Amino acid sequence: MILEPQEWRKFAFPFKFFEYLGYGKPIVAINDSPPARVVEKLGVGWSIEYEQSEIIKLFQTLVNDQSLIEEATTNALRHRLSHDWQSRVDTVIQALQV
């Protein structure tokens, strides 16, 4: 989810976010975005600034400590069913029922 910040990304989730989570993949997201807030809350990856140096720094950290990847993967696998498309549809249905 290393996507250049744009106005619409302040309120939208890229489709791929839920695919990554559904497959139990750790996610790198850009700070101050909806995906970053979920990544931070669930511990399923990392939230960084949209700067080349930040990306390099994160990848160097992950190469040097692969247990961070394992931890994020474990969390992603734990939370993936709570954020799949069926779960999201069920949430909308419940919200619309009066």
Side-chain angles (χ1 to χ4, degrees):
M1 305 278 70
I2 303 175
L3 304 168
E4 182 178 6
Q6 295 181 1
E7 191 64 29
W8 68 271
R9 289 191 178 125
K10 291 181 181 177
F11 59 85
F13 274 88
F15 177 80
K16 290 288 184 182
F17 178 87
F18 297 103
E19 276 192 4
Y20 297 159
L21 192 57
Y23 284 107
K25 300 296 182 188
I27 300 169
V28 178
I30 300 303
N31 284 344
D32 299 321
S33 67
R37 288 186 277 282
V38 173
V39 163
E40 291 168 2
K41 180 179 177 183
L42 301 179
V44 297
W46 306 271
S47 176
I48 61 172
E49 293 296 327
Y50 186 74
E51 298 284 335
Q52 181 179 0
S53 61
E54 291 292 314
I55 297 166
I56 291 169
K57 181 179 166 184
L58 172 62
F59 288 168
Q60 287 172 338
T61 299
L62 297 176
V63 165
N64 292 326
D65 187 355
Q66 295 199 1
S67 69
L68 298 172
I69 298 170
E70 293 169 12
E71 180 181 345
T73 300
T74 298
N75 289 338
L77 290 169
R78 182 180 319 122
H79 291 290
R80 70 183 179 161
L81 295 180
S82 300
H83 295 277
D84 66 359
W85 287 110
Q86 186 60 52
S87 174
R88 298 183 69 72
V89 168
D90 292 343
T91 300
V92 170
I93 290 170
Q94 289 177 351
L96 293 176
Q97 290 178 342
V98 182

